Amino acid sequence: MWFEQVVFWALAVVAIGGAVGVVMVRDLFRAALLLATVFVAVGGFYVMMNAEFLAVVQILIYVGAIAVLFIFGVMLTRDVRQGNTPNRLQIPAALVSVLLLAAMLFTAVTTDWTTLAGLGLESQSQIAQTQAVGIPDASSLAASGLSAQEVESIAGGGLADLLIGEFVLPFEAVSLLLLAAAIGGLALARGRGR
Amino acid sequence: MLTEPLVWAIFLLPVASFLLIGVVVRPLGPSMAKAAGYLTILALGIGFVLSLWLLRSSAHGVVYDFVPHLWLNLAPGASIQMGLLLDPLTNVMLVVVTGVSLMVQIYSMAYMDGDESFARYYAYMSLFSASMIGLVLASNIVQMYAFWELVGLSSYLLIGFWHERPSAAAAAKKAFIITRIGDVGFLLAIIFLFFRADEFAAQGLNALHIPDIWQAAAPLAAGGAGIVAGGALLWLCLGLFAGAAGKSGQFPLHTWLPDAMEGPTPVSALIHAATMVAAGVFLVGRFFPVFSESEGAMMVVALIGAFTAVFAATMGLAANDIKRVMAYSTVSQLGYMMAALGIGAYNAALFHLFTHAFFKALLFLGAGSVNHSAGTFNMMYMGGLRKAMPFTYWLTVIGALSLVGIFPLAGFWSKDEILLEAWLGTGAVPTTVSLLVFLMLLAGVLLTAFYSFRMVHLTFHGEFRGGGEQELHDCEEAGQPAPTGVSHHVHLGESPWFMVGPMVFLGVSAVVAGWIANPIGVKSIFGLIPSHWLTEYFASGLYDGHHAPPFSIAMAVISNVVALAGIGLAVLTYMWPRPFTNNDPLTKGGVVHTLLAQRYYLDHLYEGLIVGRVFYRIVAAITDWVDRNIVDGIVGLVGWISRNIGGLIALAQNGQVQTYPLVAAAGGVVIIVLYLILG
Amino acid sequence: MRCITTPENMLSPEGAFGGNPLFYWIYGLAAHLVPCWLAYVIAGLVIMLILINAVLLGAAIVSWGERRLLGRFQNRVGPNRWGPFGALQPIADLTKLITKEDIIPYGADRLAFTAVPVIMVSSLLVATAVIPFAKDVALVDLNVGVLFILAVSSLTSIAIFTAGWASNNRYALFGAGRAVAVLISYEVPVVLSLLGVVVVAGSMSLGDIVVAQAVPFFLVQPLAFFVFLAGMSAELNRTPFDVAEAESEIIAGYHTEYSGIKFALIQAAEFGGALFVSGLIATLFLAGWAGPVADWLGWLWFLIKTFIGIFLFVWIRSTFPRLRLDQIMAVCWKFLMPLSIINLAAVVLEVYFLRDASGTLSTSDLWIMAGINMVVAVVSIAFFGRIIRQKIRNSSRTMTASAPMVRGVPTIEVG
Amino acid sequence: MSLESMLVIAAVLFCIGLYGALARKNFIAVLMSIELMFNGVNLTLVAMGRWVAPYAVQETLSAVLTGQVFAVFIITVAAAEIALGLGIVFAMFRTNESVDLTDAAAMRH
């Protein structure tokens, strides 16, 4: 669809341009702002891929927290204006990155993906994804050709069900990791002897 | 009727108290240390009540047969299980272990008071009690072996409890190593059984399950499986007996037990008198159906036991340390039990184990009480304590009389039964052997009586000879280090009630415990205890229960006369007409006394000849050469190679963090490209 | 309506603008004249235009209303020269600000400096999109509405930081640092209190939350209401949490260097923020557009409730003295934080035990919860209030020198 | 917008991030680049969940959300990583007076 393409390419330009900016701009503060822009653009991609919840989480955590932390970090260290300089590995790094990019692009383009659309399942899965974070309207789900059992499983909560159902162990592990990171960050930032 | 969890609780409560003390109480510091004691006492108290309940319900005919929990299936016919084997032997042992242990823990509350490692002491004690209970409960030989070794470990920890003293550390090491020599035999026996597992499997038995082993040893004619017989059976029994001999201090592995007196006195009372050393007897008793199928093994057990009984008693004559006298006495009494087992007097042996636990623990606690006031263990510096500590005196006398076997105390009944069976013979060994055993044991009675009352006289009668203060002074003059347990802390007086209370309990037990067996064979006592109750109860656990012979007045008279003769000799030597002053009249024995005092030079033999000559000179020299030239050479070569390779690789470690992901990413590129090309 | 496509495209009317009758009406109207995509864009733009104007006009009204109200609270008149009751005052202010010189300080990061007002106003406007003004009338009824609001409003912290940094001014930087610290800290209790709301409503969609309020949530979850109100006062940098722009200490905080139209926009964002938060309170806690009679009067109920919210904020502002930064932090972490956790725990337990088989709560269940939570609220506020009062007293005893506690004049003078 | 185009964007983001992580001196810049890489990965995960057919494999509709679940985990881990990373940055700044990674070579052989 035409409109969709426009939005997509606009987001793509913002994301990639911003990413290049993050890496290339000398001013670290601007790099951090550009990073936030990239995050917002990626959030836009999530919206386009029916992952609204993830998009919101992306904005909330990446833009609201991580980018702010970066700005804090930038401000508390030196050389903000001219700080982002390349090191000696510039050329090999560029080489490796370009090679890796080529390999990945080649793989992405030439692989014959088994897509949901190819299986005729696209609309159902989209409904599932869109509705996964709220209480879905059962009648609209049923209208899209889903079975009663599937409606039931989606109405059960989708993403939340997966997070504290099938993936509860990694979920708990990640909580523990966060706790450890919080304590570790405190310990590191406090420094010795204080 | 107890449920399975309740039975397990007897074992698990001390485990829990061990863990609680180790993890919670000890880190809280010395201010909370008392809690450790109360925890242990609580755990063991509940265990004691449960054990009594178990014994009672079992005596009323309840049969406990819990299905063991499978832990590991090694091979067909060899699976390691965690199970409960609740036969009469176990039930009685449980009562003994928890009861004596409980008394000792209460006693220790006062005895160990103020020790800076109070909580650690109770942690070890809990561990020991737990492992001893586990050993008694085990239904699987591997399970049993695990607890057997745990018992050894906790004994090691407790002997070396005051590990800052070199002598205690050395004693702990010695005990550990010497018992380990015996345990090798036990382990070999287990391995032997394991290798015969397929034959067991063919009969639908489990080679590691104890009742199955009994059945395997029984000949086909007697309805058994007849898997092990003849020479194999003899070696199996000897292996088990080696383990038993190590733990029970039988000749020639007895030398660790007197040294083990370096530990705190309650430890000696619990571990080296009442429970752990009895584990050897328990082991032989546990496998008695196996032993009884092999006459050769029975003869070995009987003769070694009888010999140990006399041999240790002779050494007891010349010892001056009160705890060492007790230790030799313990070895001697264990010899009685072994001898009794050897001649087939199963129930008499275990009866003696039962009574011995009480009076020997009593004697040890008495020794501890004496030390508490006199500040020393050396009898040469005691004397005259009778007036200062009347309770201790009378309780010790009761214990000693019981030990000697004077009518009607507990020791009399059990010892008398052993003598009687040895005299009559049970058919398990040739009559000549059992007669020889009888004579040796009778000689043992005389010696026991003599050294026991020598101990009583030296300790309690005559004039006070200065106690720990004097001994320290003498040691200083002679330029020797002071032995364990000596302190300036001399205050003549009765010990606190925390110590006397348990002793009173044990003293009462030492008087009445024999009656539980109702050995005279009256119809019943107070309508409660039927004729020959305990011995018959023991016998009920065996396939072909051996029944106690009827009480013989003649034998009672003989043993009492011999015992009284021994006591009389001691009185003549040490008290009357001339009371003992400073010189032990036994030193006039010259060479013999020196031999006894030097413990037949066995320690010298072990340490000087075997360890010093054979091990240091020959074995160590060879292994040293091998280690130096071959092992070190290989290690050195490997080290050299890796050092040089490492030097090369280290060049890549330039500390630039970004080079590492760069190389990793390059590797990723290579892998993807290879995959695209090849795959 | 030949243009409406299948749900495959989420940007289609059903996908995103589900149930907004105004949108459909404009969309249908335009679709007769232009191609579908253009009609779609036009409809969206018209709605956005209405919304933006409503919000900015509302902000202007709030700025006037707040000053009038403050005046009444302080026993003076307030702006009264231009228009009836001074009601045209905002226009005068705006005119003055637009005509003023737009200064960008020397050494400032021009791009970032200029971007700040834009980010602030646009994030406010975007956040407004999910608020239902009447039954089914929201620009978007996102199923993650609550989270969306939190996410978008968290953009403000970046904007503030950028403002402080780009101004090349110490006071601005200090103000920004304070403001961001406050913002990030108060985010936590606010989110936790909102979680309670979400749990009871069973949805993150603001429309559903309004529908779920058979009993208004400020009764069902008084603790959450309290925490949200306090937290939002802090996030809006309003008294008593306004250290970030305490002009007696650091001039005007992060917008010290702003002037002219940029300053106007920042002020618009602040007053708009107050308006927006009041709307949010109305939606989340005061049952939004639901009113005693007539659903079609929903916008009226919503407006009334919104102004109750604004009144609350002004009331608080004119009553409480300003807290010191460390006290603000202490209030957040040691007072609001435990309260919000208690609220969440209580609500989760109550919902777990009270819900029926299909997972829904009846009105009587809500009343039961309200009763329990009232008690919980009184007890826990009394308990933690005691603690925090001691803490603040103790700390001020040691730090009296730097504690300007009392202040009589209003904080913000526009112009 | 299709799977391939989304994968391409993700790959470009990832590789730009990789270049930045490898070729910048400033520690904070490196951390930012790592965040870019995370975002590339997340995009891939979500795109795969959106278009490729885990549904056909697992036969449950919620399987299409697996990619999003993983993205959520990655976002969380990224937050933790930044918390620690910036902690290290500050620690390093305190001791070295700089956040130049080239200077931080105390761990070389």
Side-chain angles (χ1 to χ4, degrees):
Chain A
M1 190 178 168
W2 191 88
F3 186 71
E4 193 187 72
Q5 293 296 324
V6 170
V7 177
F8 176 79
W9 287 113
L11 286 177
V13 167
V14 171
I16 292 176
V20 172
V22 170
V23 177
M24 290 301 176
V25 165
R26 302 273 287 199
D27 187 335
L28 271 174
F29 185 79
R30 285 194 179 179
L33 287 185
L34 283 172
L35 187 69
T37 321
V38 176
F39 291 152
V40 174
V42 171
F45 281 131
Y46 290 157
V47 173
M48 297 191 74
M49 290 191 284
N50 299 31
E52 283 98 344
F53 176 74
L54 206 56
V56 171
V57 168
Q58 164 95 4
I59 306 277
L60 191 63
I61 294 181
Y62 270 118
V63 183
I66 291 182
V68 173
L69 276 183
F70 271 126
I71 295 176
F72 256 118
V74 167
M75 285 181 13
L76 292 176
T77 53
R78 274 187 198 164
D79 272 348
V80 176
R81 287 284 151 88
Q82 300 294 318
N84 200 2
T85 47
N87 62 9
R88 288 178 307 161
L89 296 172
Q90 207 176 1
I91 292 163
L95 198 67
V96 166
S97 303
V98 167
L99 280 178
L100 192 63
L101 180 62
M104 291 205 292
L105 292 186
F106 181 75
T107 318
V109 174
T110 55
T111 309
D112 184 20
W113 301 102
T114 319
T115 58
L116 288 167
L119 295 168
L121 294 165
E122 177 135 26
S123 59
Q124 282 99 320
S125 75
Q126 251 180 306
I127 294 282
Q129 283 177 320
T130 324
Q131 302 287 355
V133 285
I135 292 183
D137 181 357
S139 61
S140 79
L141 286 178
S144 67
L146 294 169
S147 73
Q149 192 210 339
E150 283 165 341
V151 170
E152 181 64 31
S153 82
I154 297 164
L159 199 57
D161 256 7
L162 275 185
L163 271 178
I164 52 175
E166 198 176 335
F167 292 95
V168 70
L169 196 65
F171 184 76
E172 294 298 330
V174 160
S175 340
L176 209 62
L177 174 79
L178 266 184
L179 181 66
I183 295 170
L186 273 179
L188 275 174
R190 252 176 106 228
R192 209 172 292 138
R194 258 184 298 155
Chain B
M1 182 75 194
L2 288 159
T3 57
E4 190 179 357
L6 277 177
V7 180
W8 278 112
I10 303 174
F11 161 63
L12 290 173
L13 280 169
V15 174
S17 82
F18 165 63
L19 293 176
L20 267 177
I21 295 169
V23 179
V24 180
V25 177
R26 273 203 72 201
L28 289 177
S31 58
M32 291 294 291
K34 280 276 172 194
Y38 291 119
L39 265 177
T40 312
I41 289 171
L42 182 71
L44 283 167
I46 298 173
F48 182 52
V49 171
L50 288 173
S51 307
L52 280 176
W53 190 2
L54 187 68
L55 179 66
R56 184 183 166 280
S57 61
S58 163
H60 281 75
V62 180
V63 176
Y64 290 103
D65 194 11
F66 299 123
V67 180
H69 306 277
L70 181 67
W71 179 45
L72 196 62
N73 236 333
L74 289 174
S79 48
I80 301 176
Q81 299 150 329
M82 286 296 178
L84 299 167
L85 182 55
L86 296 175
D87 65 349
L89 176 58
T90 300
N91 296 340
V92 173
M93 284 295 287
L94 270 182
V95 172
V96 171
V97 171
T98 53
V100 176
S101 188
L102 178 63
M103 289 308 129
V104 169
Q105 311 308 343
I106 296 172
Y107 178 92
S108 304
M109 285 296 283
Y111 188 83
M112 299 300 287
D113 192 19
D115 193 286
E116 55 191 44
S117 302
F118 192 82
R120 180 163 64 93
Y121 172 81
Y122 272 103
Y124 289 169
M125 277 302 216
S126 291
L127 176 65
F128 170 76
S129 304
S131 18
M132 191 67 204
I133 292 167
L135 168 66
V136 170
L137 285 170
S139 77
N140 192 290
I141 195 167
V142 176
Q143 183 190 359
M144 191 176 190
Y145 185 71
F147 287 115
W148 181 268
E149 294 297 325
L150 266 179
V151 165
L153 168 75
S154 35
S155 160
Y156 163 80
L157 292 172
L158 282 165
I159 295 170
F161 180 72
W162 288 313
H163 49 73
E164 61 277 2
R165 292 184 193 147
S167 59
K173 242 186 316 188
K174 186 172 178 183
F176 199 68
I177 291 169
I178 290 183
T179 51
R180 210 65 348 131
I181 293 172
D183 291 349
V184 172
F186 191 4
L187 185 59
L188 285 176
I190 295 175
I191 292 171
F192 169 78
L193 286 169
F194 176 66
F195 281 118
R196 303 288 293 264
D198 41 352
E199 292 170 46
F200 280 78
Q203 303 263 8
L205 300 175
N206 176 6
L208 304 178
H209 190 53
I210 291 170
D212 288 359
I213 300 171
W214 298 344
Q215 210 178 339
L220 286 170
I227 292 168
V228 262
L233 182 60
L234 176 62
W235 284 109
L236 174 65
C237 291
L238 288 182
L240 290 172
F241 181 64
K247 273 273 186 300
S248 283
Q250 297 299 293
F251 178 83
L253 299 178
H254 64 275
T255 55
W256 66 271
L257 191 54
D259 283 10
M261 298 304 135
E262 291 287 345
T265 306
V267 169
S268 307
L270 177 60
I271 300 186
H272 306 119
T275 54
M276 185 192 93
V277 290
V281 179
F282 170 78
L283 181 67
V284 177
R286 177 54 92 212
F287 289 98
F288 189 70
V290 181
F291 278 86
S292 60
E293 299 298 338
S294 166
E295 194 174 57
M298 293 292 268
M299 278 164 66
V300 170
V301 174
L303 290 175
I304 287 192
F307 178 69
T308 309
V310 180
F311 176 73
T314 55
M315 291 191 286
L317 296 176
N320 284 336
D321 185 313
I322 184 169
K323 281 178 73 182
R324 278 183 185 265
V325 175
M326 306 284 185
Y328 287 121
S329 152
T330 305
V331 175
S332 166
Q333 297 303 311
L334 291 166
Y336 270 86
M337 298 172 210
M338 282 293 182
L341 283 169
I343 58 170
Y346 172 75
N347 13 26
L350 297 173
F351 181 27
H352 192 53
L353 167 63
F354 177 73
T355 54
H356 173 256
F358 293 111
F359 62 71
K360 188 50 65 65
L362 171 63
L363 283 173
F364 266 110
L365 296 190
S369 178
V370 165
N371 167 257
H372 201 71
S373 79
T376 178
F377 285 116
N378 193 332
M379 296 190 292
M380 289 300 140
Y381 294 99
M382 294 179 186
L385 295 176
R386 179 169 43 119
K387 291 171 198 114
M389 30 201 334
F391 277 102
T392 307
Y393 171 67
W394 284 110
L395 288 166
T396 309
V397 168
I398 288 173
L401 287 174
S402 189
L403 169 67
V404 173
I406 298 297
F407 179 86
L409 300 175
F412 164 73
W413 300 110
S414 51
K415 199 180 274 186
D416 186 59
E417 203 148 309
I418 293 174
L419 289 172
L420 183 62
E421 296 223 29
W423 171 251
L424 294 174
T426 59
V429 288
T431 328
T432 45
V433 174
S434 63
L435 271 182
L436 184 61
V437 167
F438 171 74
L439 289 175
M440 294 213 285
L441 293 186
L442 204 58
V445 171
L446 185 71
L447 294 169
T448 307
F450 185 83
Y451 69 67
S452 300
F453 277 83
R454 172 174 178 262
M455 182 269 288
V456 170
H457 295 317
L458 289 182
T459 309
F460 291 103
H461 294 272
E463 295 298 314
F464 185 61
R465 292 185 291 278
E469 201 115 26
Q470 182 70 28
E471 185 175 9
L472 283 174
H473 180 250
D474 287 358
C475 286
E476 213 168 289
E477 279 191 350
Q480 291 165 336
T484 304
V486 181
S487 67
H488 289 287
H489 182 74
V490 178
H491 67 99
L492 296 182
E494 192 53 86
S495 300
W497 274 105
F498 254 114
M499 289 165 75
V500 177
M503 285 166 64
V504 169
F505 174 85
L506 290 171
V508 172
S509 302
V511 174
V512 302
W515 292 95
I516 288 181
N518 192 356
I520 294 186
V522 294
K523 201 166 179 196
S524 70
I525 298 172
F526 306 130
L528 285 175
I529 306 169
S531 160
H532 290 289
W533 177 76
L534 189 69
T535 42
E536 292 298 315
Y537 178 62
F538 276 131
S540 72
L542 285 172
Y543 290 150
D544 47 349
H546 174 75
H547 298 284
F551 180 69
S552 156
I553 294 181
M555 186 54 65
V557 170
I558 291 173
S559 71
N560 265 307
V561 165
V562 173
L564 286 173
I567 296 175
L569 270 176
V571 171
L572 284 177
T573 317
Y574 290 100
M575 217 175 125
W576 188 84
R578 279 179 297 117
F580 176 79
T581 50
N582 237 340
N583 278 329
D584 192 342
L586 285 187
T587 47
K588 287 176 193 143
V591 183
V592 178
H593 181 265
T594 318
L595 187 65
L596 293 180
Q598 294 297 326
R599 298 165 241 154
Y600 294 102
Y601 292 98
L602 270 181
D603 282 324
H604 298 272
L605 175 75
Y606 290 163
E607 275 159 34
L609 194 70
I610 298 180
V611 177
R613 292 276 156 75
V614 179
F615 275 95
Y616 283 6
R617 297 268 166 84
I618 303 169
V619 181
I622 295 171
T623 44
D624 181 51
W625 184 87
V626 171
D627 188 50
R628 223 180 269 267
N629 290 300
I630 297 177
V631 179
D632 275 7
I634 294 171
V635 171
L637 184 67
V638 171
W640 183 85
I641 292 171
S642 42
R643 198 164 57 235
N644 284 286
I645 292 179
L648 285 177
I649 297 174
L651 292 181
Q653 304 287 323
N654 61 359
Q656 294 296 321
V657 72
Q658 284 155 315
T659 54
Y660 307 130
L662 178 66
V663 173
V669 170
V670 170
I671 289 171
I672 293 178
V673 168
L674 279 180
Y675 183 77
L676 287 178
I677 294 170
L678 303 176
Chain C
M1 295 251 230
R2 62 202 158 88
C3 286
I4 294 174
T5 50
T6 54
E8 265 169 39
N9 176 10
M10 67 92 26
L11 287 178
S12 68
E14 284 86 349
F17 295 85
N20 186 338
L22 191 61
F23 180 86
Y24 282 129
W25 187 67
I26 301 167
Y27 181 63
L29 217 60
H32 290 295
L33 306 172
V34 290
C36 287
W37 63 268
L38 197 56
Y40 183 74
V41 173
I42 288 173
L45 281 179
V46 169
I47 297 275
M48 275 194 263
L49 202 66
I50 296 172
L51 192 62
I52 289 170
N53 278 300
V55 172
L56 291 182
L57 191 63
I61 294 172
V62 168
S63 78
W64 167 78
E66 180 161 355
R67 288 165 72 187
R68 284 292 292 192
L69 266 176
L70 269 182
R72 299 313 303 158
F73 273 117
Q74 292 158 356
N75 214 2
R76 37 185 192 87
V77 184
N80 57 354
R81 294 301 161 118
W82 184 233
F85 306 108
L88 296 181
Q89 182 72 27
I91 295 172
D93 288 338
L94 196 63
T95 317
K96 183 185 114 190
L97 283 171
I98 288 174
T99 52
K100 265 183 141 179
E101 186 189 358
D102 184 16
I103 303 166
I104 295 180
Y106 175 77
D109 185 333
R110 295 181 68 94
L111 188 66
F113 188 80
T114 316
V116 169
V118 180
I119 298 176
M120 289 181 92
V121 173
S122 55
S123 73
L124 167 71
L125 292 175
V126 171
T128 322
V130 291
I131 291 200
F133 299 101
K135 188 172 168 56
D136 289 337
V137 181
L139 186 56
V140 202
D141 189 10
L142 276 183
N143 54 10
V144 286
V146 173
L147 215 50
F148 176 81
I149 287 173
L150 290 172
V152 173
S153 57
S154 71
L155 286 175
T156 318
S157 58
I158 280 203
I160 291 178
F161 226 141
T162 312
W165 175 258
S167 304
N168 195 25
N169 177 320
R170 290 258 159 115
Y171 290 112
L173 195 53
F174 286 157
R178 287 178 174 197
V180 171
V182 170
L183 272 180
I184 290 182
S185 305
Y186 276 80
E187 193 94 3
V188 180
V190 164
V191 170
L192 284 177
S193 66
L194 286 188
L195 267 184
V197 173
V198 171
V199 166
V200 177
S203 168
M204 281 197 262
S205 151
L206 291 175
D208 291 344
I209 289 178
V210 172
V211 173
Q213 294 186 59
V215 179
F217 280 173
F218 80 98
L219 291 174
V220 179
Q221 305 183 54
L223 265 184
F225 181 62
F226 177 75
V227 172
F228 188 77
L229 199 63
M232 275 305 171
S233 304
E235 295 218 10
L236 291 170
N237 289 322
R238 296 179 67 90
T239 334
F241 305 108
D242 65 339
V243 280
E245 45 194 70
E247 69 274 332
S248 53
E249 299 171 29
I250 48 173
I251 312 179
Y254 58 87
H255 55 70
T256 303
E257 293 289 358
Y258 282 86
S259 61
I261 186 64
K262 295 198 182 83
F263 181 73
L265 282 176
I266 288 178
Q267 286 299 327
E270 288 207 348
F271 285 108
L275 184 66
F276 167 69
V277 169
S278 304
L280 206 54
I281 286 176
T283 309
L284 293 174
F285 291 100
L286 307 178
W289 45 259
V293 285
D295 269 358
W296 62 271
L297 273 176
W299 57 274
L300 182 63
W301 308 131
F302 180 80
L303 270 184
I304 291 172
K305 288 166 181 173
T306 305
F307 278 99
I308 291 175
I310 290 177
F311 181 77
L312 268 179
F313 278 124
V314 177
W315 194 6
I316 292 171
R317 172 180 172 174
S318 58
T319 315
F320 290 101
R322 183 194 298 150
L323 290 172
R324 224 166 43 221
L325 187 63
D326 63 312
Q327 290 169 333
I328 291 178
M329 288 302 172
V331 166
C332 172
W333 293 110
K334 294 168 184 165
F335 185 54
L336 298 182
M337 183 77 175
L339 288 187
S340 59
I341 289 174
I342 287 173
N343 175 63
L344 184 59
V347 163
V348 167
L349 285 177
E350 285 156 3
V351 170
Y352 182 81
F353 287 113
L354 289 177
R355 63 180 176 173
D356 56 21
S358 64
T360 52
L361 294 158
S362 67
T363 309
S364 56
D365 289 340
L366 287 177
W367 279 115
I368 294 171
M369 286 178 67
I372 300 174
N373 285 339
M374 290 287 182
V375 179
V376 171
V378 169
V379 171
S380 51
I381 288 180
F383 179 71
F384 285 102
R386 227 181 144 80
I387 293 177
I388 193 68
R389 205 181 305 140
Q390 273 170 359
K391 287 245 158 73
I392 287 179
R393 270 203 204 121
N394 290 345
S395 65
S396 63
R397 213 172 287 143
T398 56
M399 298 176 66
T400 38
S402 62
M405 293 284 285
V406 185
R407 192 173 82 100
V409 287
T411 320
I412 297 171
E413 264 103 355
V414 180
Chain D
M1 188 180 69
S2 63
L3 175 62
E4 282 83 2
S5 55
M6 207 50 104
L7 288 182
V8 167
I9 304 256
V12 170
L13 270 185
F14 183 86
C15 288
I16 293 173
L18 179 65
Y19 170 76
L22 295 180
R24 295 286 116 180
K25 266 185 180 172
N26 192 295
F27 199 164
I28 297 177
V30 170
L31 285 178
M32 290 190 208
S33 308
I34 290 173
E35 289 308 313
L36 285 180
M37 291 164 75
F38 273 126
N39 271 280
V41 173
N42 276 349
L43 266 185
T44 314
L45 283 172
V46 179
M48 288 287 182
R50 163 73 172 76
W51 277 290
V52 182
Y55 175 67
V57 183
Q58 292 202 4
E59 292 288 326
T60 62
L61 208 50
S62 58
V64 299
L65 296 169
T66 311
Q68 294 190 29
V69 170
F70 273 81
V72 168
F73 284 142
I74 289 184
I75 290 177
T76 324
V77 171
E81 178 241 329
I82 286 309
L84 277 184
L86 285 176
I88 294 172
V89 168
F90 295 145
M92 184 174 158
F93 185 71
R94 249 200 320 271
T95 49
N96 285 9
E97 286 290 305
S98 105
V99 287
D100 192 338
L101 270 184
T102 321
D103 297 344
M107 296 268 282
R108 72 170 166 272
H109 64 90

